[in-house]
């Protein structure tokens, strides 16, 4: 991609501060992208849910309009004009309900599926790799610290048990050692 600096794999073997800094920038960018995608997904989910609710509501309205003829009203007689008007309106609402159902399917296929795939496949993989790197980095730092302590301990052991002269223990025992005359 133009404008985005790539993280060279060769430099990661050196574990330099520059590489760690660049990796930190990538981690921040990934976290921001993950947050943005979550918000976008939630907004799209609201649209999809609203469309499904609209589809269900128009379907229910159509069904209720068709059932008008089955209703018996004590004061009302057989009103043919009202009945035929409501049946025609029910057909229009049926068409509208069908359009809402098609739109709901299209939203699922064209909007929800891609964002879900991106979140679950790509972003999840990046975040998993970040966690694996963090664990590996912590293990590496622990090993380096352990090695450096072991190396210092060996150096100290060599100084105290070395040739018998010039070690720190010998200098403390010699009262004239280290004084300037």
């Amino acid at each position: 991609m133009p404008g985005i600096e790539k993280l060279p794999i060769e430099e990661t073997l050196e574990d330099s501060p520059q590489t760690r800094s660049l990796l930190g920038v990538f981690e921040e960018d990934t976290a921001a992208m993950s947050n943005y995608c979550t918000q976008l997904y939630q907004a799209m989910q609201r649209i999809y849910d609203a469309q499904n609710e609209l589809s269900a509501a128009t379907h229910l309205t159509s069904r209720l309009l068709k059932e008008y003829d089955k209703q018996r009203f004590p004061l009302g007689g057989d009103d043919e004009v009202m009945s035929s008007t409501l049946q025609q309106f029910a057909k229009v609402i049926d068409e509208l309900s069908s359009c809402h159902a098609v739109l709901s399917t299209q939203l699922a296929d064209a909007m929800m599926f891609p964002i879900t795939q991106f979140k679950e496949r790509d972003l999840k993989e990046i975040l998993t790799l970040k966690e694996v790197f963090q664990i590996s980095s912590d293990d590496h730092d622990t090993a380096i610290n352990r090695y450096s302590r072991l190396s210092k301990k060996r150096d100290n052991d060599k100084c105290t048990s070395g040739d018998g002269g010039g070690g720190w223990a010998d200098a403390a025992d010699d009262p004239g050692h280290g004084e300037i005359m």
Side-chain angles (χ1 to χ4, degrees):
M1 289 182 176
I4 296 178
E5 188 175 346
K6 294 182 180 180
L7 183 62
I9 194 73
E10 299 83 24
E11 291 181 15
T12 59
L13 297 174
E14 296 173 18
D15 196 32
S16 69
Q18 294 85 3
T19 302
R20 291 252 178 174
S21 176
L22 187 57
L23 186 61
V25 172
F26 276 92
E27 287 175 349
E28 288 177 28
D29 195 47
T30 300
M33 176 61 81
S34 177
N35 185 32
Y36 172 77
C37 285
T38 299
Q39 291 176 1
L40 183 63
Y41 176 82
Q42 290 170 348
M44 289 177 167
Q45 187 66 45
R46 287 182 62 197
I47 291 170
Y48 179 68
D49 291 344
Q51 185 58 45
N52 283 336
E53 179 61 30
L54 193 55
S55 178
T58 54
H59 180 73
L60 176 63
T61 302
S62 172
R63 187 174 55 92
L64 290 172
L65 287 170
K66 290 176 183 176
E67 290 177 358
Y68 176 79
D69 286 340
K70 298 176 186 170
Q71 301 295 318
R72 298 291 172 227
F73 298 103
L75 296 177
D78 288 336
D79 189 357
E80 289 297 319
V81 174
M82 179 70 139
S83 180
S84 68
T85 303
L86 290 179
Q87 291 306 314
Q88 287 176 348
F89 188 50
K91 288 178 185 177
V92 171
I93 297 294
D94 261 346
E95 289 177 29
L96 185 59
S97 178
S98 296
C99 290
H100 284 301
V102 168
L103 181 56
S104 181
T105 303
Q106 288 175 346
L107 285 174
D109 293 344
M111 184 175 73
M112 295 308 297
F113 181 72
I115 191 79
T116 302
Q117 286 295 100
F118 179 70
K119 272 186 63 177
E120 291 178 359
R121 188 181 54 208
D122 299 331
L123 276 180
K124 188 175 183 178
E125 182 179 353
I126 291 170
L127 294 174
T128 301
L129 289 173
K130 176 187 173 198
E131 290 172 11
V132 167
F133 174 79
Q134 189 62 45
I135 291 168
S136 297
S137 180
D138 292 344
D139 289 347
H140 178 262
D141 292 343
T142 303
I144 293 291
N145 288 335
R146 200 175 313 146
Y147 176 75
S148 65
R149 276 187 267 141
L150 180 62
S151 189
K152 287 178 185 176
K153 185 178 178 184
R154 285 185 184 165
D155 287 346
N156 287 340
D157 288 346
K158 285 180 185 178
C159 286
T160 57
S161 66
D163 59 338
W168 290 104
D170 294 338
D173 293 338
D174 184 7
H177 189 309
E179 292 181 11
I180 300 177
M181 308 238 176

